[in-house]
Amino acid sequence: MSERIPDFELSRQIHTVLVLHFVEGLKQSEIAKRLNLSTSKVNRLIAQGRKQGMVKIDVTSPFQRLADLENRLVGATALNGAMVTPTVSGNPNTTLQQVGRAAANMLLETIRDGDVIAITGGKAVSAVVENLSPENKIDVTVVPLTGGVQGKFYTDVNHLATQMAERLGGTPMLIHAPLFAESRNQRDMLKSMASTKEVFDLARRANVALVGVGSVEPRGSSYYDLNPVPEADRKMLVGMGVAAEFMAHLIGENGRLAEYELNSRLVALDPSELEACRTVIGIAAGEQKTRPIRAVLNGNFLDSLVLDEETVNAVLETMERSKHVA
């Protein structure tokens, strides 16, 4: 049985509050406003931190190694921020849920009344939605970044947008168009429809975009839940140098869109259109996401990334190897 680890999210939240209060000198009311918490919750967190011995001469964290990994990743990339959670050995689903909780808390600390949140589908974004538990309703609008694929709950971006809006107390706006068009002309027609155009226009200028980082490796890739193809074609994609799925687009190792015909038939925003968003948060868990993460980082699509410890170690290791080869 794996050794029980401390409550990472609670410890992290306590640590953040203690730093803001004791190091940066913020009042409890100021901390409450910054982190979207009640003043009484801030007071309780400070009391818990004192009781756990986290307040000494310096503010310490039982997860300092994770903070060090975050700093290393930010220092090695164009990211503005990173959040690393513990990996639960031998239990990828629990690891994904921990990453989802961390990303949910990051989202709650980021959004404000009146904001627009744009999301993709996927298991990681679904884990974020499941773990959203705001103290108060937040008047946000939630919109999809892609057309819809019905089937499994996590592939249906409209379903996830509706769930997220319900949990936050906001309003969803949905895309009533498929993700894959039959031709470029049909794609252009679908994207020009007034209802679709309205949602995509909102998504382009979203305050926060929440985006999963997908793998195209044949084993365990949810991309093939969106686009079922034969095993031979899956291996062909990997052989072509396709490294990641991002906003339903296939991305090469260099971070550029792959020369893959289906990319031209997607009813979705292009990854480059995220530039106008205030904050783009990526979510990924599992070492199989190492190569996809590298590709998305090479494309400079993200402002922040939430991932688990084993995965960030693998990403940093491959970066180091690339430096030595170069």
Side-chain angles (χ1 to χ4, degrees):
M1 181 177 292
S2 60
E3 185 176 334
R4 180 176 173 81
I5 61 175
D7 187 330
F8 168 75
E9 282 307 312
L10 178 59
S11 293
R12 186 186 188 95
Q13 193 171 45
I14 292 172
H15 180 259
T16 299
V17 169
L18 294 176
V19 170
L20 292 174
H21 187 57
F22 292 103
V23 179
E24 298 187 17
L26 269 63
K27 298 177 182 177
Q28 293 186 24
S29 59
E30 293 172 326
I31 297 171
K33 184 176 181 180
R34 179 179 292 193
L35 301 184
N36 267 6
L37 301 172
S38 64
T39 305
S40 60
K41 176 68 175 285
V42 171
N43 184 274
R44 289 197 302 273
L45 291 172
I46 291 173
Q48 282 180 273
R50 285 184 171 135
K51 186 176 180 180
Q52 293 177 17
M54 293 174 68
V55 181
K56 300 176 183 177
I57 296 175
D58 298 312
V59 178
T60 63
S61 168
F63 294 97
Q64 185 58 46
R65 72 183 191 282
L66 302 181
D68 292 341
L69 287 170
E70 292 165 1
N71 291 333
R72 284 180 60 196
L73 184 61
V74 171
T77 65
L79 292 170
N80 296 322
M83 186 177 289
V84 178
T85 73
T87 300
V88 182
S89 180
N91 199 327
N93 290 332
T94 303
T95 297
L96 178 61
Q97 285 300 313
Q98 285 207 140
V99 170
R101 278 194 295 275
N105 284 344
M106 177 183 283
L107 182 66
L108 291 174
E109 292 174 6
T110 303
I111 57 176
R112 298 291 183 268
D113 283 339
D115 279 355
V116 174
I117 306 170
I119 68 170
T120 63
K123 294 177 183 176
V125 173
S126 178
V128 177
V129 173
E130 289 174 28
N131 285 284
L132 282 171
S133 184
E135 288 196 336
N136 303 297
K137 289 186 177 180
I138 308 173
D139 182 18
V140 294
T141 301
V142 185
V143 297
L145 284 161
T146 73
V149 174
Q150 294 183 342
K152 297 183 179 179
F153 65 92
Y154 54 81
T155 64
D156 188 344
V157 68
N158 282 332
H159 172 71
L160 293 180
T162 301
Q163 277 199 321
M164 176 177 281
E166 288 176 352
R167 286 177 176 268
L168 293 174
T171 304
M173 291 185 66
L174 308 181
I175 291 283
H176 298 292
L179 174 58
F180 299 109
E182 294 181 3
S183 66
R184 295 185 186 189
N185 287 338
Q186 187 187 64
R187 174 207 63 185
D188 293 340
M189 181 271 292
L190 289 168
K191 292 180 74 171
S192 67
M193 290 171 53
S195 59
T196 305
K197 186 175 183 301
E198 180 184 13
V199 175
F200 278 159
D201 284 346
L202 271 178
R204 285 186 186 92
R205 59 178 190 271
N207 302 93
V208 181
L210 192 67
V211 188
V213 178
S215 169
V216 293
E217 295 289 342
R219 180 178 56 85
S221 170
S222 58
Y223 174 72
Y224 302 114
D225 292 325
L226 299 175
N227 178 34
V229 296
E231 182 75 14
D233 289 2
R234 302 181 186 194
K235 292 179 179 177
M236 177 196 70
L237 290 176
V238 177
M240 288 170 52
V242 173
E245 174 269 319
F246 189 72
M247 295 169 57
H249 292 77
L250 296 183
I251 306 290
E253 291 185 6
N254 59 6
R256 298 174 185 168
L257 291 184
E259 294 292 331
Y260 184 57
E261 191 269 340
L262 193 58
N263 276 347
S264 67
R265 295 193 280 113
L266 291 173
V267 181
L269 292 193
D270 187 283
S272 64
E273 294 182 276
L274 293 177
E275 287 183 3
C277 297
R278 183 183 70 202
T279 303
V280 182
I281 302 172
I283 317 105
E287 286 191 69
Q288 77 278 8
K289 296 296 180 73
T290 302
R291 191 163 173 250
I293 289 169
R294 286 289 310 279
V296 171
L297 291 175
N298 286 337
N300 292 326
F301 299 125
L302 304 177
D303 296 304
S304 298
L305 178 60
V306 185
L307 69 172
D308 65 286
E309 186 175 6
E310 283 187 3
T311 304
V312 74
N313 274 319
V315 170
L316 290 168
E317 183 180 328
T318 60
M319 286 182 172
E320 286 298 318
R321 285 204 302 265
S322 296
K323 283 183 182 178
H324 293 316
V325 170

